[in-house]
Amino acid sequence: MTVVMGIVNVTPDSFSDGGRYLAQDAAIARGLALRAAGADIVDIGGESTRPGAERVAPSVEEERVLPVIRALAAEGATVSIDTMNASTAVAAVEAGAAIVNDVSGGLADPGMLTAVAGSGAEVVLGHWRGPSSDMYARAEYGDVVREVVTELAARLEAAAVAGIAPSRVILDPGIGFGKRGDQNWSVLRGLPRILGIGPRVLVGTSRKRFLAEVLVAGGTPTGALDEATEDRRDLATAVTSALAAREGVWGVRVHDVRATRDALRVAEAWEGERRWTATRSR
């Protein structure tokens, strides 16, 4: 069964639900609701990584996320911390997080990999070419799949040098991070090559712009993407998540857990147990 990671943004400015769960009580309630809907992991983030977002101080990030992590862990939820700061990662693990989800792959904070190695936590290493403030300026590729594979393999090697065994690593191809619309589709079509690196792979397409570009006739004129409502993006997310699961990814990261869990169940029923298992064991 594909792991489903549910997203809780404890931020005022995330691209999709910024501010909705900024209050601690709201964030805790959202995490519990995602777990009840079928989330295997609840991913807590206190800093937006939307395009153009500015960094926040680790102290601010920790003030937002640590009480939420403690509360959810106390309820028995498996929690991950979405952070690029080593100090936040350490504090979050001490508060009960089992996974550090670093979209920068340990590049934003030179101390991250060493900190994770000492924490005992698992780690998600994302494909990343630079901060959200100018990520699209770095979206220049010759062969995007080949370059993502090469750069993720380098992060896996860096993790090993820091003392993190490959069994503790989950790789994320960074859909939407430093990649324009068509480049994201190329990466998704290239998942078999990414899976060939070795460790588990996590894919996060949830509500991202490249999905809206497909949903809205005419593409990307200013304002047109508003027609791709949250519900429509969640449906597109569920479809892409099911397709990624069919390719054999370990997990998917989504806002709408119920829709994605339903899509995964339907896909598994369609494929049949033997064929689904064979596909995922490639």
Side-chain angles (χ1 to χ4, degrees), residues 114-155:
T114 300
V116 171
S119 75
E122 296 187 314
V123 62
V124 179
L125 299 177
H127 178 262
W128 189 80
R129 283 192 163 182
S132 297
S133 57
D134 68 345
M135 66 167 69
Y136 292 130
R138 304 165 190 265
E140 300 298 332
Y141 300 89
D143 179 333
V144 64
V145 178
R146 177 181 59 78
E147 291 173 50
V148 167
V149 166
T150 299
E151 291 165 30
L152 281 177
R155 302 320 302 151

Side-chain angles (χ1 to χ4, degrees), residues 3-255:
V3 168
V4 177
M5 179 183 284
I7 301 166
V8 180
N9 291 314
V10 193
T11 61
D13 58 343
S14 290
F15 81 95
S16 174
D17 55 2
R20 197 177 300 175
Y21 308 113
L22 182 58
Q24 289 178 14
D25 288 349
I28 294 166
R30 179 60 174 171
L32 293 174
L34 292 176
R35 184 185 181 212
D40 301 291
I41 301 164
V42 181
D43 190 44
I44 309 298
E47 177 180 4
S48 174
T49 53
R50 63 175 173 78
E54 297 296 330
R55 300 298 310 274
V56 302
S59 59
V60 173
E61 183 183 34
E62 290 164 24
E63 183 179 1
R64 293 172 178 173
V65 303
L66 295 182
V68 179
I69 292 170
R70 291 190 190 99
L72 292 175
E75 291 291 335
T78 300
V79 179
S80 61
I81 173 64
D82 178 0
T83 184
M84 294 185 284
N85 293 309
S87 61
T88 301
V90 171
V93 173
E94 291 174 352
I99 301 171
V100 175
N101 178 11
D102 183 355
V103 300
S104 81
L107 290 170
D109 185 336
M112 178 63 88
L113 295 180
T114 300
V116 171
S119 75
E122 296 187 314
V123 62
V124 179
L125 299 177
H127 178 262
W128 189 80
R129 283 192 163 182
S132 297
S133 57
D134 68 345
M135 66 167 69
Y136 292 130
R138 304 165 190 265
E140 300 298 332
Y141 300 89
D143 179 333
V144 64
V145 178
R146 177 181 59 78
E147 291 173 50
V148 167
V149 166
T150 299
E151 291 165 30
L152 281 177
R155 302 320 302 151
L156 180 62
E157 182 178 354
V161 170
I164 305 172
S167 60
R168 291 169 58 191
V169 177
I170 302 150
L171 298 177
D172 182 342
I175 299 299
F177 288 91
K179 300 171 189 69
R180 301 187 182 95
D182 288 347
Q183 293 167 339
N184 292 301
W185 292 113
S186 293
V187 171
L188 289 173
R189 287 190 290 268
L191 277 174
R193 291 166 63 186
I194 295 167
L195 288 162
I197 298 173
R200 296 163 289 174
V201 172
L202 175 72
V203 168
T205 62
S206 194
R207 296 180 181 172
K208 292 187 176 178
R209 179 186 177 95
F210 82 107
L211 296 179
E213 291 173 352
V214 169
L215 297 176
V216 176
T220 61
T222 302
L225 295 185
D226 292 342
E227 297 176 22
T229 59
E230 187 172 291
D231 286 348
R232 294 181 69 191
R233 293 191 191 208
D234 283 338
L235 178 58
T237 299
V239 172
T240 52
S241 295
L243 291 171
R246 187 177 186 274
E247 291 296 330
V249 303
W250 167 81
V252 293
R253 181 178 180 272
V254 300
H255 294 85

